[in-house]
């Protein structure tokens, strides 16, 4: 999507420039700024519409009008803003979201987005870019005939007050970068598991880094390398699949040389059948989304590369399939993790923690300032928090505060869950150092506790995104979460450490 900023547009511009739709805000029944300008050019059309109450009076109400031949644009969308002074961040998001959603069925390719003129703030620019990108998102490349009713929204010009051009231009660049990261994360999630294999994820990582090789490098460790590192826990999961496992390591060195990096670790199970502890068939296709943690790491890298964020960041992605076969991991098997701890596998469907524990041990070599892992780890987290918040598990209160602040700022929300050692008891094994499952109770917490055992050398947080990474049902599709949260965290980290 092409985006640009416009200030001070002339009547001539509105008469001649060909847009498919001009989106303008109305304050109650008052027409200011571009709304007033458009009204005058259309001989009072907007005023008539307001007088006949065709536009509702609730913030976010919209109405679509045809312009006749007076404007370069085919259509005008009026959006109710309500009282300008009463608009806080949440209401602003609601208004912008409603307007973007209303654009969906309008067959618009080029849009003049006027809402950012009265709203004024930079946050209106970011929210608008995200809302419009989200409304324009489609994943239909596997259909032989794309839906003819859908016109790709490919150009958006945002109107701003002249005094706002400089800060808004900065906000626009950041939002553009972030929306590219979110879209990449969604695309990877939505790809079918026969396409999005561990090998494919490694290729995507390499393509991401290639144009910025001076600051970002990628190393892909193969089965033999992973074996040499002693990552037997990771390898035990990969064993049942014909797809070779990959350990993908991205390193971005864009900050000061002596700055300890932040490390993101993403669960990259490109299909989770459950293995020998096989899952029931119902909705099993959705286990293609079990690599959304990995996708969020790649999406976040895309965003910070586009922003050229001056920070040292490492991404670690253990990627493999969890499949049953004659060679697959079995319940009862005992394996030795890279950290040297033995693990009794009581359920092969609790595979995420088995690949993550080795990746978390691998993270130690970067002497990180902090490590955040992101994983579609437990169905229990979906039961606990539904689809609203991602589960946040973190020992250190300072890191918790940073992540919660980033979650609030980005709207990509989290809920902090407990992580005390009392929960560790359920992971006791009669035969090994640890069992890979606790009981049914508190399942998302015992999973986090399992990981905690491998993270004692650095500040660490775990995000369970099982309920937030994708939607089921009619709207089935990846959400791109938590790319916004992670990027916001890194951006904030950057301003505090510089
Ligand atoms: N990838 C799943 C978690 C999951 C399940 C996410 C459903 C979203 C929806 C994970 O590997 C898994 O299977 N976890 C098991 C753990 C259990 C065996 C202790 C689960 O949640 O059932
Ligand atoms: Mn599983
Ligand atoms: Zn899984």
């Amino acid at each position: 999507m092409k985006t640009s900023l416009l200030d001070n547009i002339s009547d001539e511009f509105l008469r001649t420039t060909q847009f498919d739709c001009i989106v303008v805000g109305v304050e109650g029944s008052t027409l200011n700024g571009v709304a007033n300008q458009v009204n005058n050019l259309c001989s009072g059309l907007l005023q008539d519409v307001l007088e006949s109450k065709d536009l509702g009076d609730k913030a976010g109400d919209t109405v679509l009008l045809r312009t006749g031949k007076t404007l370069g644009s085919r259509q005008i969308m009026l959006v109710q803003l309500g009282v300008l002074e009463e608009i806080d961040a949440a209401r602003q998001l609601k208004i912008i979201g409603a307007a973007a959603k209303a654009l969906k069925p309008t067959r618009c390719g080029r849009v003049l987005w006027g809402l950012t003129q009265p709203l004024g703030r930079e946050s209106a620019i970011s929210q608008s870019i995200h809302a419009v990108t989200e409304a324009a998102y489609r994943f239909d490349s596997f259909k032989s005939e794309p839906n003819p009713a859908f016109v790709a929204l490919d150009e958006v010009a945002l109107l701003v007050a002249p005094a706002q051009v400089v800060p808004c231009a900065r906000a626009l660049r950041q939002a553009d970068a972030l929306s590219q990261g979110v879209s990449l994360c969604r695309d990877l999630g939505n790809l079918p598991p026969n396409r999005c294999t561990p090998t494919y994820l490694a290729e995507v990582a390499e393509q991401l880094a290639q144009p910025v090789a001076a600051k970002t490098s990628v190393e892909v460790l193969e089965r033999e390398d992973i074996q040499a590192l002693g990552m037997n826990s990771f390898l035990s999961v990969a064993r049942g699949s014909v797809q070779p496992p990959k350990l993908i390591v991205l390193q971005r060195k864009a900050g000061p040389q002596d700055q300890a990096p932040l490390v993101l670790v993403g669960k990259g199970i490109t299909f989770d059948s459950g293995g020998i502890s096989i899952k029931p068939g119902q909705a099993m296709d959705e286990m293609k989304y079990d690599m959304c943690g990995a996708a969020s790491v790649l999406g976040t890298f895309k965003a910070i590369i586009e922003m050229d964020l001056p920070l040292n960041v490492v991404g670690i992605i253990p990627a493999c399939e969890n499949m049953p076969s004659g060679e697959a991991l079995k319940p009862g098997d005992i394996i030795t993790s890279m950290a040297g701890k033995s693990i009794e596998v009581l359920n092969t469907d609790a595979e995420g923690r088995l690949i993550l524990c080795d990746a978390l041990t691998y993270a130690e070599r970067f002497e990180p300032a902090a490590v955040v892992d992101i994983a579609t780890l437990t169905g229990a987290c979906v039961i606990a928090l539904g689809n609203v918040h991602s589960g946040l598990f973190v020992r250190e209160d300072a890191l918790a505060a940073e992540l919660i602040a980033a979650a609030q700022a980005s709207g990509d929300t989290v809920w902090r869950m407990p992580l005390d050692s009392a929960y560790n008891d359920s992971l006791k094994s009669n035969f090994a150092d640890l069992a890979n499952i606790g009981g049914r109770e508190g399942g998302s917490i015992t999973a986090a506790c399992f990981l905690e055992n491998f993270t004692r050398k650095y500040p660490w947080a775990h995000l369970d995104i099982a309920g937030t990474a994708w939607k089921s049902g009619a709207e089935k599709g990846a959400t791109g979460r938590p790319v916004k949260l992670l990027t916001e965290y890194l951006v904030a980290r950057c301003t505090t450490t510089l």
Side-chain angles (χ1 to χ4, degrees):
M1 198 170 66
K2 244 180 77 186
T3 56
S4 56
L5 286 187
L6 291 175
D7 62 348
N8 257 339
I9 46 167
S10 65
D11 288 354
E12 180 60 18
F13 179 88
L14 285 171
R15 260 196 300 265
T16 56
T17 313
Q18 309 237 313
F19 289 103
D20 295 308
C21 190
I22 302 183
V23 181
V24 299
V26 176
E27 299 158 38
S29 51
T30 317
L31 298 167
N32 284 328
V34 66
N36 189 36
Q37 210 175 344
V38 168
N39 184 52
N40 291 339
L41 286 170
C42 298
S43 5
L45 172 68
L46 274 54
Q47 199 60 53
D48 293 346
V49 169
L50 292 183
E51 271 159 27
S52 56
K53 306 260 182 243
D54 288 346
L55 176 66
D57 57 5
K58 283 199 300 297
D61 284 345
T62 61
V63 64
L64 193 67
L65 315 171
R66 301 212 52 103
T67 57
K69 294 231 158 30
T70 42
L71 294 186
S73 175
R74 284 192 291 128
Q75 306 178 94
I76 306 171
M77 184 186 292
L78 298 188
V79 181
Q80 183 58 264
L81 302 175
V83 182
L84 216 49
E85 289 74 32
E86 286 174 7
I87 300 178
D88 56 8
R91 185 178 294 184
Q92 178 176 284
L93 184 61
K94 187 181 147 209
I95 294 167
I96 287 171
K101 206 162 169 195
L103 266 184
K104 258 188 177 186
T106 60
R107 300 170 59 87
C108 285
R110 291 190 74 196
V111 170
L112 178 61
W113 186 262
L115 298 183
T116 36
Q117 187 191 58
L119 291 172
R121 314 181 193 115
E122 291 147 54
S123 61
I125 296 282
S126 335
Q127 288 179 350
S128 297
I129 294 296
H130 296 316
V132 172
T133 312
E134 176 157 349
Y137 182 84
R138 286 293 185 288
F139 189 82
D140 55 8
S141 52
F142 288 88
K143 301 216 187 220
S144 40
E145 280 176 43
N147 182 356
F150 172 66
V151 176
L153 209 173
D154 53 16
E155 202 178 328
V156 180
L158 301 103
L159 267 183
V160 291
Q164 287 284 315
V165 171
V166 173
C168 283
R170 200 182 323 118
L172 177 62
R173 276 197 306 276
Q174 298 276 105
D176 262 338
L178 181 49
S179 68
Q180 288 181 48
V182 171
S183 296
L184 174 64
C185 179
R186 297 179 75 177
D187 282 346
L188 292 172
N190 287 332
L191 274 174
N194 56 335
R195 289 292 178 90
C196 186
T197 58
T199 307
Y200 182 80
L201 287 178
E203 282 166 15
V204 170
E206 275 161 354
Q207 281 161 17
L208 265 183
Q210 202 225 341
V212 287
K215 288 184 190 170
T216 310
S217 63
V218 174
E219 195 185 356
V220 178
L221 305 190
E222 307 292 334
R223 194 190 298 270
E224 311 78 68
D225 310 314
I226 301 169
Q227 203 142 28
L229 284 162
M231 297 179 133
N232 298 313
S233 187
F234 175 23
L235 283 180
S236 73
V237 176
R239 226 163 56 202
S241 169
V242 295
Q243 292 292 339
K246 307 277 170 180
L247 183 72
I248 307 163
V249 184
L250 301 104
Q251 274 194 80
R252 182 162 166 83
K253 292 183 179 154
Q257 242 185 356
D258 58 351
Q259 180 191 64
L262 293 166
V263 178
L264 305 177
V265 179
K267 173 178 174 183
I269 295 288
T270 60
F271 188 74
D272 181 12
S273 71
I276 296 296
S277 314
I278 199 159
K279 288 181 181 292
Q282 172 79 20
M284 207 208 260
D285 67 291
E286 294 186 14
M287 282 300 112
K288 70 174 183 178
Y289 290 115
D290 213 16
M291 35 56 70
C292 282
S296 74
V297 172
L298 293 170
T300 302
F301 263 81
K302 174 75 185 166
I304 63 173
I305 286 170
E306 291 297 324
M307 289 176 186
D308 198 15
L309 199 73
L311 199 69
N312 297 339
V313 186
V314 175
I316 304 175
I317 297 172
C320 69
E321 281 184 342
N322 184 23
M323 296 289 277
S325 91
E327 288 185 281
L329 183 66
K330 302 174 292 298
D333 281 356
I334 295 181
I335 53 185
T336 306
S337 64
M338 184 182 181
K341 285 191 208 297
S342 60
I343 302 166
E344 184 185 16
V345 178
L346 295 177
N347 189 320
T348 66
D349 198 10
E351 85 298 338
R353 59 198 84 180
L354 293 177
I355 70 168
L356 288 169
C357 69
D358 280 347
L360 288 164
T361 302
Y362 186 82
E364 287 172 7
R365 68 186 51 208
F366 298 103
E367 299 179 5
V371 177
V372 180
D373 81 68
I374 309 101
T376 47
L377 200 63
T378 63
C381 192
V382 192
I383 303 298
L385 298 176
N387 316 108
V388 178
H389 303 300
S390 303
L392 170 66
F393 302 79
V394 46
R395 277 184 312 247
E396 296 82 4
D397 288 341
L399 180 55
E402 281 181 81
L403 287 164
I404 289 168
Q408 271 160 358
S410 63
D412 193 347
T413 56
V414 297
W415 196 262
R416 190 172 179 184
M417 301 280 281
L419 191 71
D420 30 305
S421 55
Y423 291 95
N424 243 324
D425 291 348
S426 63
L427 293 170
K428 281 192 178 134
S429 155
N430 285 6
F431 310 112
D433 298 339
L434 278 171
N436 81 325
I437 54 169
R440 256 170 43 83
E441 294 146 354
S444 69
I445 311 169
T446 51
C449 279
F450 180 92
L451 298 178
E452 196 276 336
N453 281 281
F454 297 85
T455 60
R456 301 208 174 127
K457 300 224 167 102
Y458 43 68
W460 163 77
H462 159 61
L463 289 167
D464 194 332
I465 57 167
T468 53
W470 77 92
K471 289 182 186 164
S472 308
E475 283 186 87
K476 194 193 289 181
T479 60
R481 291 178 69 178
V483 171
K484 284 187 190 169
L485 158 63
L486 294 170
T487 307
E488 178 65 38
Y489 165 63
L490 296 178
V491 169
R493 193 72 197 200
C494 206
T495 42
T496 53
T497 49
L498 284 185

